[in-house]
Amino acid sequence: MKSPALFSTLLLALFLSLFAACSDDSSSSPTSEATPASKSRGKTLVAYFSRTGNTKPLAEYAAEYLGATLFEITAKIPYTDEDIAYYTDCRADREQKDESARPEIATAVENMDEYDTVIIAHPIWHGIAPRIISTFLESYDFSGKTLLTFCTSASSPLGQSAKQLQELTPNSTWLESKRFAIGTSREEIEKWLDDVL
Ligand SMILES: Cc1cc2nc3c(=O)[nH]c(=O)nc-3n(C[C@H](O)[C@H](O)[C@H](O)COP(=O)(O)O)c2cc1C
């Protein structure tokens, strides 16, 4: 060896090439193939209440488009046709008048903790969400989750329905809710989801 300096240089080169080979570990690079949208909204649940079947297909379109879990909110005491014959002082009329009404839900969502985003679909009953949606929102801890609602109605606009629900879960991030007409197409729901999420 001509000089210790040359020896040190060779040793350093060897060390650097060994270090580069070790750090070129492809398993440490990101492998997720998630789309940008699913990255931002994470694991998603679509929970819906639909007594007469208008909201249900829209919730299904949303869940299918997002690859989300679909959950039907059903009442422990099912709503009969008489119960929803509105403007007859029926059960639904009385519940909607009573801010504290919390109709019980028949089944629970498993592992709610795992969901990052929860989309809740419901009809409008007397200008707002059915009280069973309040029961749903008070049944879990939604802190830190992203929440979004959409509804169907015969003609009423969204009105105060979303605001009233948002007040029940102040520690969540709420995205802008929307009202859809009965029979809204799959394409319209998908376009809205692209815009809102
Ligand atoms: C008790 C009750 C109250 C309702 N109140 C309203 C209302 O205030 N405005 C409106 O446009 N439609 C109202 N509707 C109609 C529903 O919002 C509409 O039919 C909705 O699409 C039903 O959804 P679903 O079939 O998923 O249950 C009411 C229906 C019921 C049963």
Side-chain angles (χ1 to χ4, degrees):
M1 192 63 59
K2 275 191 174 162
S3 75
L6 182 60
F7 178 70
S8 314
T9 310
L10 283 171
L11 207 63
L12 182 66
L14 183 68
F15 174 77
L16 287 175
S17 59
L18 272 173
F19 180 77
C22 290
S23 54
D24 182 24
D25 177 7
S26 56
S27 66
S28 68
S29 60
T31 53
S32 168
E33 287 177 12
T35 62
S38 69
K39 266 186 192 162
S40 60
R41 66 181 162 75
K43 190 171 173 181
T44 305
L45 176 76
V46 177
Y48 72 94
F49 173 70
S50 181
R51 170 51 185 81
T52 51
N54 297 331
T55 312
K56 181 179 178 176
L58 278 55
E60 288 171 344
Y61 300 155
E64 284 163 22
Y65 187 56
L66 300 172
T69 307
L70 188 66
F71 175 79
E72 182 175 9
I73 301 169
T74 50
K76 199 163 192 175
I77 302 172
Y79 289 91
T80 63
D81 289 345
E82 273 185 3
D83 287 341
I84 59 158
Y86 52 132
Y87 296 114
T88 64
D89 195 35
C90 64
R91 173 183 168 194
D93 289 350
R94 281 180 275 115
E95 285 176 359
Q96 294 307 98
K97 266 188 224 153
D98 176 4
E99 232 178 273
S100 65
R102 294 292 183 269
E104 278 188 75
I105 296 174
T107 53
V109 174
E110 277 178 35
N111 308 325
M112 180 61 95
D113 286 357
E114 288 179 6
Y115 294 98
D116 306 290
T117 302
V118 181
I119 300 175
I120 302 163
H122 62 81
I124 291 287
W125 280 7
H126 294 297
I128 54 172
R131 297 290 178 199
I132 197 165
I133 301 298
S134 303
T135 312
F136 182 79
L137 285 172
E138 289 175 352
S139 299
Y140 306 92
D141 181 7
F142 291 101
S143 305
K145 296 187 193 297
T146 299
L147 298 181
L148 171 62
T149 58
F150 72 87
C151 61
T152 65
S153 72
S155 60
S156 292
L158 189 63
Q160 294 298 300
S161 72
K163 192 170 172 281
Q164 169 240 345
L165 297 176
Q166 288 169 17
E167 282 165 5
L168 300 176
T169 59
N171 298 322
S172 307
T173 302
W174 278 89
L175 303 181
E176 197 176 342
S177 301
K178 190 163 167 72
R179 175 259 172 191
F180 289 100
I182 294 163
T184 293
S185 70
R186 181 186 290 273
E187 291 69 29
E188 208 176 318
I189 295 294
E190 292 178 356
K191 187 186 172 306
W192 170 66
L193 289 168
D194 282 343
D195 290 345
V196 77
L197 287 175

